[in-house]
Amino acid sequence: MGILELMKERRIYFDGGMGSLLQARGLKPGELPETWNLSRPEIITEIHREYLDAGSDVVTTNTFGANHFKFKAEDGYSVKEIVTAAVRNAKNAIAAAGHGYAALDMGPTGKLLKPYGDLEFEDAYEAYKEVVLIGKAAGADLVIIETMGDGYELKAAVLAAKENSDLPVFATVTLDEKGKMLTGGNVESVTALLEGLGADVIGLNCGLGPIQLLPFMRDMAKVSSTPILVNPNAGLPRSEGGKTVYDIDADEFATAMQEMARNGATVLGGCCGTTPEHIHKTKLVCDDIPVCEITDKNRTVISSYSHAVTFGGRPILIGERINPTGKPKFKQALKDKDLTYILSMGVAQQESRADVLDVNVGLPGIDEPQMMVDVVKELQGVLDLPLQIDTSDPVAMERALRIYNGKPLINSVNGKKEVMEQIFPLVKHYGGVVVALALDENGIPETADGRLAVARKIYETAASYGIPKKDILVDCLCMAVSSDKNGALTTLETVRRVRDELGGKTVLGVSNVSFGLPMRENINASFFLLAMQNGLSAGIVNPNLEAMMQAYDSFLVLSAQDENCAGYVGIYGPKEAEKKRQKEILKAAAVNQAAGVSGAAGAGNSNGAGNTSGTGTGAADTGSALKKSIVKGMSQAAADAAKLALKDTDALELINTDMIPALDEVGKGFEAGTVFLPQLLMSAEAAKAAFAVVKESMEASGEVQEKKGKVILATVKGDIHDIGKNIVKVLLENYSFDVMDLGRDVPPETIVEAAVKEHVPVVGLSALMTTTVPAMEDTIKALRKDAPWVKVMVGGAVLTQEYADAIGADTYCKDAMASVNFATSVIGEA
């Protein structure tokens, strides 16, 4: 019986932590645990057997870090040898125990994907593909993708598993204490992503213990229509006698896991610090708890890397401005490949409270597939709004869907047989909510009855591809009233009946209704209000137009969707009116200063009802075009603004009055949880681009910017995961520190030698895995002996303040900004 079939009959149990048990059996600090598949296979098999005897149904192969970024044949170990041996060890244990399944374990690559890091999406995909093909050939029964902190890398891994095998795919992510992934995703966004991609089981693992994970597991159970797996740590780690131990014993762990089972977890197991005893006692107390029925939550939801947008509550605003139709400047920007202008259109709509951005780059004479990919990459690198992929070119659509970071809105399909056959396989494969135009081979039906008939046909055909009604928005077709006086009435009737008779969701391109008429904004706003009253789920509108947003905000008040009218008052009250006036003045100044960044100033209101992005930092309302460009992470715009500003501003003054304050503002937003890691990194890159311009000017004039001091960074011996270190490096350099990056898998003696030679005041050490933290402790001890003046900051997923104290670090930095603050305090004291 397959694992998915067994899961329908009863609760499933995974194993626990591998690394901590290997350490107990002699794994040395910095030694790569995956190598034991070949050098000590009997021990790996023995550990698997212990878990199976304790009650585990699934054992995970010792392949967490087995990828070609870490292992190369010329270095003595190949990925093929390691993965093949790991699966063989697991299968041998299963054969001896007489039951069980071998889960091919795939963890993060240790690299950050572009545009925030240097790893291409397809390169990450190829790394996972290699492991999947080897694991499948070796006999793995399922794939477990775990400890993922980046939704984009998670997507690459899931696609690799789904496209290169028929194995069930289980996927889990790691969250911080605020419920955020490393790159800002949350429970809702990752659930949307994984369900869209077709993962068989989704869930949470590592980072936190069962008590801390329980609230987030409950949140997932509320929105997930997929079985949930939870593999917590055995509480929080600490160091005792040079060994990593955890603060929850088997009895406490089992008691906490009962709550997971009662709240909807179908699959239970453990991660760091959990032993066969933890799993055994969990099984004993959870076996009699009934497995919760997996129900379809019937949610129509899309997502970006950071958050989800759900259709069915307040009407969703889809910004229409990234579209060449009727826009000469936009057409020219496409021809010139002026991505800065296109980004400015996106930024302006986000500031005007758009929930989703439509992206249409179709123009004769350009390479639409490549342009679509370029624009999607740029937009999702700077903004956190979900995107609507809007194209009639299936090649452009597929390429954009593949590299999209989240679950997208897809525009569009219609009732024509050949179109549905072309588009529905893409929707099913990549996941998404698809816009379905109510027209077919017979054209646009003139009546609401005719449009509903097409909608029914689309629903039925979509179902045959495995696409549910909840993942379809019916475009009821907004026709120009200038050519058909009843056009608006027919559309409104269709909207209402799709909701009431078909139980579906709807969308409209609102501005089409006024085509050919003067003062179109008046007609559009009135029609938008009528459409929302008739049940419209989403409107494709220009959120920069005041009349449209006034109609929208008024509707939310009148339909009781603006609690206590707080959003309306916040936008249109006296104080906000003055802020808006000042904002318009600043916008005009920005336009005069730098046409390339004028859109970054925005044109609408940045607060009020309906804002779901939650990422505003306030910088859009004050400051120069350079500061705004840095805050928004627009590198080219920042460089252009710096060039203009240098014409009448001193270079050092520009750094101190614009660049550093912009970084500080983003940093404070990051610490407050209103700005996420991708935005932090893109702002740092924008500052770097501007600084390159400023530096060139300073060198030409003989000015010199004084460095604050030298900092050494290193990922400790045995650990190849350098995401955290690289993030810290970018920020430290932007704050004028001289960073000496020693790389990853760095022995203690190398770090000490560099610290002594350069007499550095601060060393930053990073580690992701439990098995490599002892190497961090060894490094600190060596520094204390030979470089006692050095202050040591440490960071990594498995660390806590208590753990940092136990291994002798001077401070624990929970994020990159904490590293900057600590280095600043130390260098300032030196």
Side-chain angles (χ1 to χ4, degrees):
M1 181 184 296
I3 184 73
L4 298 181
E5 287 68 34
L6 181 61
M7 194 167 59
K8 294 176 182 177
E9 298 183 359
R10 64 171 176 82
R11 179 164 284 108
I12 299 295
Y13 297 92
F14 262 63
D15 56 6
M18 173 65 75
S20 50
L21 297 187
L22 289 179
Q23 286 177 318
R25 284 166 166 82
L27 183 74
K28 298 175 182 177
E31 188 176 5
L32 301 178
E34 294 86 357
T35 62
W36 278 37
N37 292 313
L38 295 165
S39 64
R40 307 291 294 275
E42 71 284 354
I43 292 181
I44 303 299
T45 302
E46 181 181 66
I47 292 173
H48 289 322
R49 178 64 189 272
E50 289 175 1
Y51 278 117
L52 291 166
D53 290 345
S56 294
D57 298 295
V58 181
V59 288
T60 54
T61 60
N62 182 28
T63 54
F64 178 81
N67 58 67
H68 61 229
F69 300 113
K70 186 174 184 179
F71 294 100
K72 301 183 185 298
E74 56 268 28
D75 296 330
Y77 295 98
S78 71
V79 174
K80 184 174 183 179
E81 289 173 324
I82 288 174
V83 173
T84 301
V87 176
R88 181 172 62 246
N89 295 335
K91 299 295 278 190
N92 286 342
I94 289 168
H99 74 281
Y101 301 88
L104 179 66
D105 191 10
M106 299 198 303
T109 61
K111 293 177 171 287
L112 198 60
L113 274 65
K114 289 184 176 181
Y116 320 118
D118 58 2
L119 183 62
E120 292 283 0
F121 177 84
E122 289 298 337
D123 290 339
Y125 169 86
E126 289 296 328
Y128 289 117
K129 174 183 176 180
E130 179 182 19
V131 176
V132 169
L133 290 173
I134 297 168
K136 179 184 177 183
D141 300 302
L142 63 143
V143 174
I144 172 68
I145 301 164
E146 64 168 339
T147 321
M148 287 292 181
D150 180 1
Y152 207 25
E153 184 175 31
L154 175 62
K155 177 175 180 175
V158 173
L159 283 177
K162 300 289 285 188
E163 292 179 350
N164 297 285
S165 79
D166 56 359
L167 300 177
V169 176
F170 291 43
T172 60
V173 302
T174 184
L175 304 175
D176 64 18
E177 67 278 1
K178 296 179 181 179
K180 296 290 186 181
M181 296 172 66
L182 174 69
T183 53
N186 58 22
V187 163
E188 282 200 68
S189 67
V190 78
T191 298
L193 170 67
L194 289 173
E195 290 190 339
L197 291 172
D200 297 288
V201 178
I202 68 175
L204 309 170
N205 84 293
C206 203
L208 302 171
I211 296 172
Q212 295 90 353
L213 266 185
L214 180 60
F216 306 130
M217 181 266 145
R218 285 174 173 156
D219 291 340
M220 182 169 278
K222 292 175 184 177
V223 299
S224 173
S225 303
T226 303
I228 294 174
L229 158 66
V230 186
N231 285 343
N233 288 349
L236 299 175
R238 65 180 187 276
S239 179
E240 286 186 1
K243 293 184 179 181
T244 302
V245 297
Y246 288 79
D247 63 3
I248 293 185
D249 64 22
D251 289 314
E252 293 174 291
F253 185 85
T255 299
M257 293 302 279
Q258 285 181 294
E259 291 303 306
M260 296 289 189
R262 293 189 182 105
N263 282 274
T266 303
V267 187
L268 300 176
C271 201
C272 299
T274 53
T275 66
E277 186 183 9
H278 285 79
I279 303 305
H280 177 65
K281 292 192 173 180
T282 296
K283 179 176 172 62
L284 286 178
V285 300
C286 292
D287 262 353
D288 292 335
I289 299 174
V291 177
C292 297
E293 181 183 359
I294 308 301
T295 59
D296 189 339
K297 303 306 187 295
N298 197 33
R299 301 175 76 245
T300 301
V301 58
I302 60 175
S303 67
S304 66
Y305 72 83
S306 68
H307 69 280
V309 168
T310 304
F311 299 84
R314 65 170 181 82
I316 297 301
L317 298 173
I318 303 172
E320 68 180 8
R321 301 300 294 165
I322 303 178
N323 188 317
T325 304
K327 304 180 184 71
K329 289 184 179 179
F330 193 91
K331 290 180 180 179
Q332 191 60 48
L334 288 176
K335 293 176 181 177
D336 297 340
K337 297 183 180 180
D338 183 359
L339 296 183
T340 298
Y341 179 84
I342 296 171
L343 285 176
S344 74
M345 294 295 99
V347 169
Q349 291 178 99
Q350 181 184 44
E351 292 180 351
S352 295
R353 295 183 287 126
D355 300 301
V356 183
L357 297 181
D358 179 72
V359 182
N360 185 316
V361 295
L363 190 68
I366 71 167
D367 182 349
E368 184 178 353
Q370 186 58 53
M371 179 60 76
M372 178 64 84
V373 167
D374 291 344
V375 171
V376 168
K377 283 183 175 180
E378 289 290 325
L379 284 169
Q380 67 186 16
V382 171
L383 305 174
D384 74 333
L385 297 184
L387 303 180
Q388 174 172 264
I389 310 301
D390 185 358
T391 178
S392 58
D393 183 336
V395 175
M397 181 177 289
E398 177 164 19
R399 290 184 63 185
L401 292 178
R402 188 168 185 83
I403 54 90
Y404 178 71
N405 192 357
K407 181 183 179 184
L409 187 57
I410 303 168
N411 192 357
S412 61
V413 74
N414 59 49
K416 296 179 181 179
K417 184 174 183 292
E418 67 272 19
V419 174
M420 291 190 287
E421 289 175 347
Q422 201 171 49
I423 301 303
F424 281 147
L426 297 179
V427 177
K428 177 61 178 176
H429 186 75
Y430 291 106
V433 172
V434 64
V435 172
L437 280 65
L439 61 86
D440 59 13
E441 291 85 354
N442 299 314
I444 300 175
E446 295 183 0
T447 65
D449 284 338
R451 296 180 192 181
L452 261 67
V454 174
R456 291 189 182 95
K457 178 172 67 172
I458 292 173
Y459 283 149
E460 292 171 2
T461 306
S464 70
Y465 286 89
I467 301 169
K469 182 190 296 185
K470 66 181 180 181
D471 282 338
I472 297 173
L473 294 180
V474 177
D475 187 330
C476 300
L477 302 177
C478 185
M479 309 305 293
V481 292
S482 59
S483 59
D484 178 3
K485 67 177 183 179
N486 294 315
L489 296 176
T490 301
T491 299
L492 294 173
E493 180 186 352
T494 306
V495 169
R496 183 175 64 255
R497 291 178 62 187
V498 168
R499 180 195 62 185
D500 295 343
E501 298 177 24
L502 304 185
K505 306 290 194 305
T506 55
V507 63
L508 286 175
V510 174
S511 62
N512 294 338
V513 73
S514 64
F515 185 79
L517 295 174
M519 297 295 291
R520 295 181 62 187
E521 187 175 344
N522 295 340
I523 299 291
N524 294 344
S526 297
F527 178 69
F528 188 31
L529 193 60
L530 290 171
M532 290 188 288
Q533 180 61 27
N534 279 274
L536 183 68
S537 306
I540 304 174
V541 301
N542 181 355
N544 299 337
L545 295 179
E546 191 170 19
M548 298 298 291
M549 296 310 294
Q550 287 175 345
Y552 180 74
D553 296 326
S554 299
F555 172 78
L556 295 180
V557 171
L558 298 173
S559 60
Q561 297 185 71
D562 184 356
E563 190 70 26
N564 297 321
C565 306
Y568 188 89
V569 172
I571 295 168
Y572 301 105
K575 291 182 179 179
E576 294 305 316
E578 176 57 24
K579 286 183 182 179
K580 182 179 178 182
R581 188 182 73 83
Q582 293 296 328
K583 183 176 179 179
E584 291 300 325
I585 293 172
L586 287 167
K587 179 186 175 184
V591 169
N592 292 333
Q593 183 181 13
V597 296
S598 61
N605 306 292
S606 59
N607 301 302
N611 189 349
T612 62
S613 66
T615 59
T617 65
D621 296 326
T622 60
S624 68
L626 174 58
K627 182 180 178 183
K628 293 170 190 171
S629 299
I630 292 173
V631 168
K632 292 299 181 183
M634 300 171 66
S635 296
Q636 187 57 54
D640 292 343
K643 289 178 184 177
L644 287 171
L646 285 168
K647 292 180 179 180
D648 52 18
T649 305
D650 176 75
L652 285 175
E653 180 183 348
L654 202 62
I655 292 172
N656 294 324
T657 61
D658 288 74
M659 297 171 62
I660 296 301
L663 287 170
D664 286 342
E665 190 164 331
V666 176
K668 290 176 183 176
F670 179 71
E671 292 175 332
T674 58
V675 170
F676 305 126
L677 177 62
Q679 295 162 292
L680 184 72
L681 291 177
M682 294 307 289
S683 292
E685 288 299 317
K688 186 184 293 185
F691 182 72
V693 173
V694 174
K695 183 179 179 182
E696 183 179 346
S697 172
M698 292 169 67
E699 290 174 346
S701 65
E703 286 184 273
V704 177
Q705 185 191 19
E706 185 178 351
K707 290 287 185 180
K708 290 181 178 177
K710 183 167 286 188
V711 177
I712 285 178
L713 297 179
T715 301
V716 298
K717 182 174 174 57
D719 204 319
I720 64 152
H721 300 84
D722 59 358
I723 291 175
K725 172 183 67 63
N726 291 342
I727 293 167
V728 171
K729 177 183 177 181
V730 169
L731 290 189
L732 285 171
E733 288 179 337
N734 272 280
Y735 277 86
S736 300
F737 288 97
D738 184 6
V739 178
M740 186 176 180
D741 184 0
L742 299 183
R744 53 188 182 170
D745 190 17
V746 185
E749 54 271 21
T750 302
I751 297 171
V752 172
E753 181 182 351
V756 171
K757 181 180 179 180
E758 301 294 332
H759 202 79
V760 298
V762 177
V763 170
L765 302 177
S766 174
L768 174 74
M769 302 183 296
T770 304
T771 54
T772 58
V773 175
M776 181 180 282
E777 184 173 7
D778 289 346
T779 303
I780 294 173
K781 288 179 179 177
L783 284 168
R784 295 292 181 242
K785 178 177 179 292
D786 295 330
W789 65 86
V790 168
K791 299 294 184 181
V792 182
M793 57 183 182
V794 297
V798 297
L799 291 171
T800 63
Q801 183 64 60
E802 182 183 2
Y803 204 148
D805 293 341
I807 63 177
D810 291 290
T811 191
Y812 160 64
C813 296
K814 65 184 178 68
D815 55 46
M817 281 307 302
S819 301
V820 171
N821 294 337
F822 179 73
T824 300
S825 68
V826 171
I827 305 271
E829 295 170 358

